[in-house]
Amino acid sequence: MEQPLSFQCLLLISFIFSSYLTATQQSSVIPRLSPIGDITLHDTAALTADDTDTEDLKTFYFKQTLDHFNYRPDSYATFSQRYLINFKYWGGANSSAPILAYLGAEEPIDDDLKVIGFLNDNAPSFKALIVYIEHRYYGKSVPFGSFEAALKNAKTRGYFNSAQAIADYAAVLIHIKKTQKAQKSPVIVIGGSYGGMLASWFRLKYPHVALGALASSAPILYFDNITPSNGYYSVVTRDFREASETCYETILKSWPEIDRVASEADGLSILSQRFNTCRPLNSSSELKDYLETMYATAAQYNKPPKYPVTVICGGIDEATFGSDILSKIYAGVVAYRGNATCKVNGPINVTETSVGWRWQTCSEMVIPIGLGNDTMFQPSPFDLKSYVRDCKMKYGVAPRPHWITTYYGGHDIKLVLQRFGSNIIFSNGLRDPYSSGGVLDSISDSIVAVHTVNGSHCLDILRAMPSDPEWLVKQREEETQMIKGWITQYYADLGALKVY
């Protein structure tokens, strides 16, 4: 399937570093979070759209402070941080028209410009200024001159974390409001997945900068044992079981069958041939890792109109290549992968996202995803000791699994936030495995959980399509109305202050 050149980086990432590895490796790798997943079955209309959403964007660079939290001389170093603005719909500073700001995550901001549609779809009615800000250490917002230099050792990597990132966003937004003379314009921050976590944390840490936040598919509770480590794969299993009981049973039975064939003479060669691998398998784990990745990615991005879980199960149940278990599994692979020359174990492409996200998850973003006994996968519990050992071996520093909840909170979130926080929408699709670590119940009248039974990862902030089902349209309308309510109340408060 042909893909736009602007998304080549994303394509390299989507099927590689969203890896959900099994027993031997899973303890040291956490799958990345992204609003956009594997594009094998992705609705290509979102990626091949015309340039109307981006042609009005103007690119700027902000002289950003390297270290916001230290006063050592080297902390005063700066780097150029990229942000983009669309002025087309803005009502202007004189009317205190709002600002919709998208907070970039673990990828170059280019990858989001055409597919994140919430801002462009709603800016006309809000008369809003649209802003996209790139996350430090990604794309063109890299300190120390190059990506290689920025990640070459512990000294340069140490400035690469979420606290620095949201401080960057605050500095950029304050700068924009100052340069546009828009100090009274309310800011709504929007993010998806890891970016959704950043949006919610930004609202809590910088309420003087952002009036509110839309946090789409943000698993802020998947830290520090708040959510059972098995949560992610339990939802993957449920998705497949709801799609087809026979499909679920075939997948469940396939793992020991793969191991059985691999243990035979020339077993790996047999598996390599049967699954049309791009290179010979060295172990059964390579095949199982690939299949786990495929099933998990299909579940996470199980979006209309194609619903990849249904596609895979359709292939498995139709058994085009034979009635035995492995033939059925291969039929599911073909249904998902299409006409690719080879299907499994393809070349690994190292990208800045794969490298950067690896560091982020080996420092602070410790999301303890594991496999329990109640899924369609072979058990592989999350092993923190092994995880720490692997990360320390790679980077020379141990991850801090308790830091996210220490700095941002998460434990007893309802008790803590119902009187402290406000103006946050946590949106989720319950088919998304990461929804297991999301906020699914409203905390107060203004910290609201919005979820859809059939929704998938970050679906609500992707560009609106004519084929969108009614439940998705209603979800977006509900979110938009809440944001309008926040802004209306803000204007009322602003007007009341001007009276005195």
Side-chain angles (χ1 to χ4, degrees):
M1 183 178 296
E2 292 294 320
Q3 310 294 348
L5 292 176
S6 60
F7 289 90
Q8 285 180 344
C9 178
L10 178 62
L11 296 175
L12 296 176
I13 295 163
S14 62
F15 217 83
I16 297 160
F17 213 75
S18 59
S19 296
Y20 302 79
L21 304 181
T22 50
T24 58
Q25 296 175 299
Q26 186 180 15
S27 61
S28 63
V29 176
I30 294 171
R32 66 167 291 222
L33 291 142
S34 171
I36 314 156
D38 173 38
I39 311 178
T40 302
L41 282 175
H42 191 80
D43 185 357
T44 55
L47 297 179
T48 58
D50 57 37
D51 293 330
T52 54
D53 287 351
T54 59
E55 65 184 6
D56 295 306
L57 285 170
K58 296 183 179 180
T59 301
F60 299 88
Y61 289 90
F62 177 70
K63 189 176 181 181
Q64 188 61 265
T65 301
L66 178 64
D67 185 0
H68 298 283
F69 306 107
N70 201 302
Y71 293 91
R72 293 173 52 184
D74 54 343
S75 298
Y76 285 82
T78 61
F79 67 97
S80 294
Q81 183 166 21
R82 180 168 54 153
Y83 65 96
L84 301 96
I85 300 180
N86 183 344
F87 295 90
K88 180 178 180 179
Y89 308 106
W90 195 35
N94 290 338
S95 61
S96 299
I99 299 171
L100 300 180
Y102 180 79
L103 306 186
E106 77 284 18
E107 61 192 354
I109 198 67
D110 311 82
D111 299 335
D112 293 322
L113 297 179
K114 287 189 178 181
V115 293
I116 301 299
F118 190 90
L119 290 81
N120 277 291
D121 293 340
N122 288 288
S125 63
F126 282 109
K127 295 183 179 180
L129 185 73
I130 300 174
V131 177
Y132 298 88
I133 313 175
E134 191 166 59
H135 194 294
R136 63 167 52 199
Y137 283 72
Y138 291 108
K140 296 182 179 179
S141 301
V142 180
F144 303 107
S146 70
F147 186 71
E148 291 74 20
L151 288 177
K152 70 178 180 180
N153 58 42
K155 183 177 180 181
T156 58
R157 286 191 301 264
Y159 305 104
F160 186 5
N161 59 66
S162 62
Q164 297 280 10
I166 63 173
D168 290 343
Y169 297 147
V172 171
L173 288 169
I174 290 171
H175 170 74
I176 291 172
K177 294 182 75 172
K178 181 179 180 180
T179 56
Q180 299 302 320
K181 297 180 172 56
Q183 282 85 351
K184 299 302 182 183
S185 291
V187 174
I188 306 298
V189 292
I190 298 154
S193 207
Y194 165 54
M197 292 193 280
L198 296 178
S200 66
W201 294 333
F202 188 91
R203 167 60 184 165
L204 296 174
K205 291 292 186 180
Y206 297 93
H208 56 291
V209 180
L211 174 67
L214 170 56
S216 177
S217 298
I220 64 167
L221 303 183
Y222 221 138
F223 296 95
D224 209 7
N225 298 317
I226 299 173
T227 295
S229 64
N230 196 41
Y232 185 100
Y233 281 101
S234 293
V235 176
V236 174
T237 300
R238 186 192 68 202
D239 288 352
F240 276 84
R241 196 164 193 174
E242 288 179 352
S244 166
E245 182 71 22
T246 55
C247 171
Y248 155 78
E249 290 176 356
T250 300
I251 295 172
L252 184 65
K253 295 174 183 176
S254 68
W255 313 113
E257 180 64 10
I258 291 171
D259 288 332
R260 184 191 67 78
V261 174
S263 67
E264 296 177 349
D266 295 325
L268 291 177
S269 295
I270 294 171
L271 288 173
S272 297
Q273 292 174 1
R274 295 196 68 175
F275 283 87
N276 190 17
T277 63
C278 301
R279 63 183 189 275
L281 295 169
N282 293 314
S283 69
S284 62
S285 292
E286 289 182 341
L287 175 58
K288 291 189 292 186
D289 291 347
Y290 176 86
L291 293 172
E292 286 183 11
T293 298
M294 183 182 75
Y295 299 141
T297 304
Q300 185 166 330
Y301 302 98
N302 195 30
K303 67 184 294 292
K306 295 183 178 180
Y307 293 112
V309 169
T310 302
V311 171
I312 291 174
C313 280
I316 290 175
D317 289 341
E318 289 172 9
T320 306
F321 300 96
S323 59
D324 62 287
I325 290 175
L326 295 188
S327 294
K328 290 180 179 180
I329 295 297
Y330 179 65
V333 173
V334 173
Y336 185 71
R337 294 293 294 157
N339 295 322
T341 304
C342 56
K343 304 295 191 293
V344 179
N345 211 18
I348 295 176
N349 298 279
V350 178
T351 68
E352 65 179 60
T353 296
S354 64
V355 175
W357 185 240
R358 183 75 171 95
W359 161 253
Q360 289 190 265
T361 57
C362 259
S363 52
E364 62 172 353
M365 304 301 295
V366 183
I367 304 174
I369 294 177
L371 288 162
N373 295 316
D374 60 344
T375 73
M376 65 182 188
F377 304 95
Q378 290 179 312
S380 178
F382 180 80
D383 184 348
L384 181 58
K385 290 183 179 179
S386 176
Y387 183 89
V388 170
R389 182 183 65 247
D390 292 348
C391 289
K392 194 171 183 179
M393 184 181 301
K394 184 171 181 63
Y395 294 110
V397 296
R400 298 176 180 174
H402 308 296
W403 175 242
I404 290 295
T405 57
T406 299
Y407 191 68
Y408 299 113
H411 292 286
D412 301 317
I413 188 171
K414 292 183 179 180
L415 180 64
V416 173
L417 292 187
Q418 64 177 338
R419 297 189 183 280
F420 163 67
S422 64
N423 293 2
I424 302 174
I425 300 170
F426 290 103
S427 63
N428 283 278
L430 298 186
R431 289 191 179 187
D432 173 17
Y434 267 122
S435 67
S436 59
V439 177
L440 301 181
D441 297 312
S442 295
I443 294 172
S444 68
D445 291 341
S446 63
I447 300 184
V448 181
V450 178
H451 59 259
T452 54
V453 173
N454 294 319
S456 57
H457 200 62
C458 297
L459 189 56
D460 58 319
I461 63 170
L462 299 185
R463 59 183 297 123
M465 305 299 294
S467 60
D468 287 339
E470 184 179 357
W471 54 263
L472 176 56
V473 174
K474 288 184 177 180
Q475 180 186 15
R476 289 173 175 147
E477 288 177 348
E478 184 177 358
E479 294 164 3
T480 302
Q481 289 305 312
M482 290 182 194
I483 294 172
K484 285 182 177 178
W486 300 342
I487 294 173
T488 298
Q489 184 61 57
Y490 169 82
Y491 287 147
D493 295 341
L494 184 63
L497 288 174
K498 288 181 177 178
V499 171
Y500 300 99

